[in-house]
Amino acid sequence: MALVNVANMVVLDNPAPFENPLQFEITFECLQALEDDLEWKVVYVGSAESSTHDQTLDEILVGPVPVGVNKFILQADAPDPKSIPQNDILGVTVILVTCSYREREFVRVGYYVNNEYKEEYDEEKGPPMPLDLSKVERTILADKPRVTRFQINWGDLSEEEENRQDSNEAQNNNHHQSQQGHEHDISMTSNGDDGQGFGTSAAPQDATVDAAMISAE
């Protein structure tokens, strides 16, 4: 059973200029006291052609996490345009928000993103290059998150059970890779338990995570 459930994620400042920071208001429920911090990560997919253009925009540790419902704002810098092929800055891509415990990812929330040049230009020639990023608007499809959950060992499994779980995960990953091939996939498919949105999660108490609980890695 998962000890942490992400109940909701709200995209703030959306739509926004491309160079603005990304902000996510995250609500999650902790069912049991955790020995270690949670690691949250924001990843921007720079190109559908290769994962080498992916950028980790921020990584933070949140903890100690009190039992109950917790809420905080995760803010990450905008992606570095120098690390994105010029032809891939505009159009549709993906932003991923992940959370891990003891270096094991247990939830991944993916959003499609559309970057649009707001000034008129000749459709045949395309926008002027290099792009004036102050004229690029970023719109995150906030109402259509793709939530994927993974089973992990929260510390309650024996070494034998953990090794068996690792073996099953490796087999699932190999099967998934053989189906998808080697092309980088921005369709957010996964071998976890896929869902189109967040499930409901009821909790009797509300403990808000304050700024002191968020520390840079």
Side-chain angles (χ1 to χ4, degrees):
M1 179 184 70
L3 299 185
V4 175
N5 296 310
V6 177
N8 195 33
M9 192 174 297
V10 179
V11 181
L12 306 177
D13 189 25
N14 182 53
F18 180 84
E19 296 176 298
N20 274 25
L22 295 115
Q23 300 181 68
F24 303 90
E25 183 185 80
I26 301 172
T27 303
F28 67 94
E29 180 184 14
C30 183
L31 303 179
Q32 182 177 309
L34 302 176
E35 295 181 1
D36 296 295
D37 297 341
L38 297 175
E39 180 185 22
W40 293 86
K41 184 183 299 185
V42 181
V43 178
Y44 186 89
V45 178
S47 174
E49 301 300 324
S50 171
S51 61
T52 59
H53 299 293
D54 291 0
Q55 297 182 48
T56 298
L57 304 183
D58 203 359
E59 292 179 86
I60 64 168
L61 297 177
V62 175
V65 179
V67 174
V69 176
N70 302 271
K71 182 186 293 185
F72 74 104
I73 293 177
L74 174 58
Q75 179 169 305
D77 291 336
D80 180 3
K82 297 185 181 69
S83 299
I84 305 173
Q86 278 285 309
N87 292 335
D88 288 325
I89 292 180
L90 299 181
V92 177
T93 187
V94 164
I95 287 177
L96 302 172
V97 180
T98 70
C99 191
S100 301
Y101 182 67
R102 293 178 173 172
E103 300 183 349
R104 292 184 175 226
E105 180 183 342
F106 64 88
V107 67
R108 177 185 306 168
V109 182
Y111 292 98
Y112 286 108
V113 183
N114 184 44
N115 296 314
E116 183 180 6
Y117 200 74
K118 299 304 293 182
E119 192 171 90
E120 291 187 6
Y121 59 88
D122 189 327
E123 292 288 346
E124 293 184 359
K125 296 181 179 179
M129 293 291 181
L131 285 172
D132 182 351
L133 294 177
S134 67
K135 299 176 182 177
V136 177
E137 183 178 75
R138 178 187 68 226
T139 301
I140 300 175
L141 278 65
D143 60 337
K144 296 181 179 180
R146 180 77 178 209
V147 183
T148 306
R149 297 175 176 87
F150 305 91
Q151 292 184 352
I152 67 167
N153 180 13
W154 295 88
D156 55 350
L157 298 180
S158 66
E159 183 176 352
E160 181 181 351
E161 289 172 323
E162 184 176 3
N163 290 337
R164 188 182 305 118
Q165 185 182 74
D166 289 343
S167 177
N168 290 336
E169 288 178 358
Q171 291 177 2
N172 287 335
N173 285 333
N174 291 337
H175 176 67
H176 178 66
Q177 290 172 359
S178 65
Q179 287 182 321
Q180 294 295 331
H182 298 290
E183 182 179 356
H184 189 51
D185 181 21
I186 65 166
S187 63
M188 296 188 290
T189 57
S190 171
N191 62 310
D193 296 325
D194 293 345
Q196 295 300 328
F198 299 98
T200 57
S201 179
Q205 53 184 309
D206 187 354
T208 301
V209 179
D210 58 28
M213 292 179 56
I214 302 177
S215 59
E217 186 180 41

